[in-house]
C-alpha cells in the first residue's frame, strides 16, 4: 500500500457565521489548505458532512463545494457517518491516495447549524441515532448520552464534580486556540452549577452548536517530499461500527467500535497507546472524553479516568496530552467537519505550528472521530 | 494498483414497498449478494444513498445497514452525490479494495421514496440542484431537465415524437426484467399523449418514484479467483463534476462531466466507445438518454441520437445495446441505489445470467451514473 501524508491544512474559526453558507465557509478552509501547500494541484475532493441534506436542503455537496473551492470539474463527493463524517472522510481520502487513483486529494468537512431553531437542530442531530427505535420515540441525542453518563457514574462510583474536571481542562486548552468557539476558561463550580440539559448532563458538559469548515490535503510520498519539509504520515487508520440502538448493545460504559478501530490503527502504525504524544478525542459530552481515553488504551483501569484527571493528568507535558485544541467541548463541534479539524490539529502539533496550546516534541498523534453514540468510529494515527 | 472484481450481486424488485423500510430493503439485497458469492466474508460496506437524511430522518446509515445486513461492527459509511450516489459508492468501494485496505467490500445502494407526499419527495429530489440559486426559487428537478430538453430540441431540430422512441425502447426492455418497476410495453402514441409534467417533459419521459436496494460485492483478484469462475473486472473508472447551477454552465446540450469521466474510464480500461457491447446509462428523463449516448461517444454526430433510435439502433444485437434493464425510465430509479443496479446489471450481462433482456456474447460493459443535472458523473467499465 502506498504511504499517505498530510501536506496542508486549513481551518475556519468555529462560531455563528450568519454571513456565510456552506459554500463560503468551505471555500475559506479549502483555500487556506491550498495556500498551506503553496498551491499544489488538488486532484479530487472528499467532504464530510452530516446535515446539509436535512437542514440546508443541499445534496450533491461534493460537486458544489469543489466548484467554490476552485476545483470545478474534479471528482468530488460527500461521505456521511453522522458526527463521525469527518473521520470517515479522512479514511476515504486515504484510500483514494493509497490506491494510486490520485496523488493529491483534499479531505474537507463542513457544517452549518446555527441558522435554525433549536428544535430543528436537535432533531437533525438525533438522526445519528436509530430513527425507528430511538428518535421517533422522542430520545434526543443528549438524552441518550445522559443514560450512558448516569450508568458510568453509578457503576464506577464517579461523582458529578470529578467529571467536571473534563470541561475545565478543555476550556483551559481552548483559551489559546484562535479557531475555538469557546476560547475562555471556566471553573469546576461553574460546570457543577450550570443548567441541566438531560440529567446528569449539564450545559458545560455539552459541546456547543457551531458552524465551521476544515480541510486537509493528502498526498503520495513522492508529492509530499517535493512540496514540504514537514510531511506528516498517516501511519495507521482503523474504522469500526456498532449497532445504533443503545438497548441492543452488550455494554454501555465502553464503545466496542473504538476498541476495534484502535486495535487496527495501532497494529497498522506498529505502535502501542504508550507511544502516543498527543490525542484529539471525540468529547461531544464530558462523559465521552472519559470513556474514550479508556477505550483507546490510555487509561488501563476502567472507571479511573476522572481520578487521573483530578490528579492533573492529560495536560500538555503528560503522555498523551489530550485535546490541546479544547476538544469538541470548547474548540467546538461543527459536526461533519470535526474529524477533519482533529486530524489537522494533530498534524500541526507534529509539525510544531499549532497556533494554540502546544505539545512540545510531539512525534506520534492520534485522532478519534465518533458517529452516533459510539456507533461509527474512525481512529487515525499520525507520525512525524 | 490492485485489480478489482465484481464477484456477487443482489437486487430487490423496485416498487412501492410499503411494508419495508431502508433497513429491510437493504438487507434483502445484501443477503442476496452474499448468497451469490456462496458466503464470502465481507470486510466493509459502502452505501450510496441520497435522501435518508431529508426524508427518513436517518443519518449514520452505514453502521445501521451493516448491522441489518449481518455485518455488525464492520467499517461502514454512506456516500452521497445526489442521484449519482450509487456510482459514487462503486467508485469508493473500488478504491477501498484497490488500495489494499480490504480484500472484500460490499457496495450497496438504497432509497425509500414512496411513503411521502409528492411535494415532499419533489423537494427532496430538488436538493440535487443548487439550493441557493435554483431550489429556493422554485425550480423543480423536472423543470431544470425540461429546459435542457427544449434547448436540445430547438438546437438540433429534434421532434417530440422522435424522442418518444426512447421510453418505448426502455419499456420494451423492462418488460422482461423481473426487478423492473414498470415491466410493460408502451406505444409512441401513449408517450406523445401523456400528461405534461414540465413542458416538454411528459409523464412517460420521466423515471418513476420507487423504493429499491442493490448490492454488489467487490474483491481483490486473489479472492475473486478463489470464489467464482465468472469474475467481472472493473477495468476502468472515471469521475468528474461540474457546476450545479445550470445558468453558470457553458453548454446545456452536453454534460462536460460525462465526457471527462468517460475519457478517464476509457483510458484506464484501454478501450474506445466502439468496444462497448452493453451500456446502462442514466436516463432519469428521455432527453438525458440521448445526450448521454452522445457524450459517451456512442453517437458521433451531435443531435443525431433520436434519428438513430428511430432507425432501430441501440437494441440488443446492436453495439452497444443500451439499457437492456429498461433504464431509469422503466427499470426504475431508486435514486442512491440506481448506480449500483447498473453495475450489477452490466456484471450479470457479462456473466450471461441477467434474468431479463439479454445481450448475447457481451464482453465489455459500461455504466454511467449521474448526480444532479449532469453535475456529478461516474463512468464504470466492466470486462469479462
Amino acid at each position: 500500500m502506498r504511504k499517505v501524508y498530510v501536506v496542508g491544512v486549513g481551518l475556519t474559526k468555529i462560531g455563528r457565521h450568519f454571513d456565510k453558507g456552506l459554500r463560503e465557509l468551505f471555500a475559506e478552509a479549502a483555500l487556506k489548505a491550498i495556500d498551506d501547500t503553496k498551491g499544489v494541484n488538488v486532484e479530487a475532493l472528499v467532504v464530510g458532512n452530516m446535515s446539509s441534506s436535512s437542514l440546508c436542503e443541499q445534496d450533491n455537496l461534493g460537486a458544489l463545494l469543489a466548484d467554490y473551492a476552485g476545483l470545478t470539474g474534479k471528482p468530488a463527493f460527500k461521505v456521511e457517518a453522522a458526527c463521525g463524517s469527518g473521520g470517515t472522510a479522512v479514511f476515504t481520502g486515504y484510500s483514494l491516495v493509497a490506491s494510486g487513483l490520485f496523488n493529491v486529494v483534499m479531505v474537507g468537512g463542513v457544517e452549518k447549524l446555527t441558522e435554525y431553531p433549536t428544535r430543528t437542530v436537535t432533531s437533525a442531530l438525533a438522526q445519528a441515532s436509530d430513527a425507528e427505535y430511538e428518535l421517533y420515540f422522542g430520545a434526543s441525542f443528549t438524552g441518550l448520552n445522559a443514560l450512558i453518563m448516569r450508568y458510568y457514574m453509578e457503576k464506577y462510583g464517579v461523582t458529578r464534580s470529578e467529571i467536571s474536571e473534563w470541561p475545565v481542562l478543555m476550556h483551559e486548552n481552548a483559551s489559546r486556540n484562535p479557531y475555538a468557539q469557546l476560547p475562555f476558561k471556566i471553573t469546576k463550580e461553574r460546570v457543577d452549577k450550570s443548567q441541566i440539559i438531560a440529567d446528569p448532563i449539564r450545559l458545560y458538559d455539552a459541546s456547543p452548536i457551531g458552524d465551521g469548515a476544515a480541510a486537509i490535503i493528502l498526498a503520495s510520498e513522492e508529492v509530499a517530499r517535493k512540496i514540504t519539509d514537514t510531511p506528516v504520515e498517516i501511519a495507521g487508520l482503523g474504522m469500526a461500527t456498532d449497532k445504533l440502538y443503545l438497548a441492543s448493545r452488550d455494554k454501555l460504559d465502553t464503545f466496542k467500535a473504538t476498541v476495534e478501530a484502535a486495535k487496527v490503527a495501532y497494529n497498522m502504525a506498529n505502535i502501542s497507546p504508550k507511544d502516543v504524544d498527543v490525542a484529539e478525542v471525540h468529547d461531544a459530552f464530558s462523559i465521552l472524553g472519559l470513556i474514550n481515553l479508556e477505550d483507546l488504551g490510555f487509561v488501563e483501569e476502567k472507571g479511573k479516568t476522572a481520578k487521573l484527571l483530578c490528579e492533573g493528568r492529560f495536560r500538555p507535558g503528560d503522555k498523551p496530552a489530550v485535546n490541546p485544541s479544547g476538544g469538541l467541548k470548547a474548540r467546538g463541534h461543527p459536526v461533519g467537519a470535526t474529524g477533519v479539524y482533529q486530524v489537522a490539529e494533530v498534524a500541526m502539533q507534529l509539525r510544531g505550528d499549532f497556533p494554540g496550546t502546544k505539545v512540545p516534541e510531539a512525534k506520534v498523534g492520534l485522532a478519534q472521530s465518533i458517529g452516533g453514540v459510539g456507533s461509527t468510529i474512525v481512529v487515525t494515527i499520525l507520525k512525524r
Side-chain angles (χ1 to χ4, degrees), chain A residues 80-260:
Chain A
E80 184 275 315
C83 348
S85 299
T88 304
V90 174
F91 188 86
T92 307
Y94 176 93
S95 87
L96 293 179
V97 176
S99 65
L101 279 168
F102 304 102
N103 288 314
V104 182
V105 169
M106 180 182 290
V107 174
V110 63
E111 206 78 50
K112 182 75 195 158
L113 298 173
T114 62
E115 281 178 32
Y116 310 93
T118 303
R119 199 175 60 175
T120 306
V121 177
T122 301
S123 295
L125 296 177
Q127 295 191 179
S129 63
D130 189 319
E132 293 179 17
Y133 286 82
E134 294 174 327
L135 182 152
Y136 292 174
F137 297 95
S140 73
F141 200 63
T142 313
L144 293 169
N145 282 278
L147 292 174
I148 286 179
M149 181 165 167
R150 173 64 68 202
Y151 180 81
Y152 182 97
M153 287 167 72
E154 294 292 331
K155 181 162 177 185
Y156 298 108
V158 174
T159 67
R160 160 73 261 177
S161 192
E162 286 169 328
I163 293 178
S164 296
E165 288 285 349
W166 184 272
V168 170
L169 173 58
M170 294 303 112
H171 278 260
E172 161 81 30
N173 284 344
S175 69
R176 291 177 286 271
N177 180 354
Y179 303 112
Q181 182 169 7
L182 305 176
F184 55 83
K185 298 180 190 179
I186 56 172
T187 60
K188 197 152 91 163
E189 292 64 40
R190 191 160 163 194
V191 180
D192 285 347
K193 289 182 183 160
S194 64
Q195 185 181 346
I196 289 179
I197 307 295
D199 188 39
I201 290 179
R202 288 177 181 262
L203 182 66
Y204 279 104
D205 287 311
S207 53
I209 298 292
D211 308 324
I216 61 174
I217 296 179
L218 304 183
S220 63
E221 184 160 15
E222 196 189 358
V223 174
R225 298 287 173 210
K226 263 185 213 157
I227 64 171
T228 176
D229 298 329
T230 54
V232 173
E233 188 189 351
I234 297 188
L237 201 63
M239 184 183 201
T241 60
D242 201 351
K243 293 165 181 295
L244 268 64
Y245 181 33
L246 282 192
S248 63
R249 297 265 180 92
D250 298 335
K251 290 184 180 174
L252 285 182
D253 58 335
T254 178
F255 295 147
K256 213 160 60 176
T258 299
V259 176
E260 182 57 31

Side-chain angles (χ1 to χ4, degrees), chain A residues 241-297:
Chain A
T241 60
D242 201 351
K243 293 165 181 295
L244 268 64
Y245 181 33
L246 282 192
S248 63
R249 297 265 180 92
D250 298 335
K251 290 184 180 174
L252 285 182
D253 58 335
T254 178
F255 295 147
K256 213 160 60 176
T258 299
V259 176
E260 182 57 31
K263 196 172 81 180
V264 173
Y266 286 134
N267 279 343
M268 186 172 159
N270 198 21
I271 63 163
S272 83
K274 287 188 174 46
D275 299 315
V276 176
D277 297 306
V278 53
E280 289 286 341
V281 306
H282 191 101
D283 58 331
F285 302 97
S286 304
I287 184 63
L288 299 187
L290 277 57
I291 290 176
N292 292 337
L293 295 193
E294 296 165 5
D295 288 341
L296 290 165

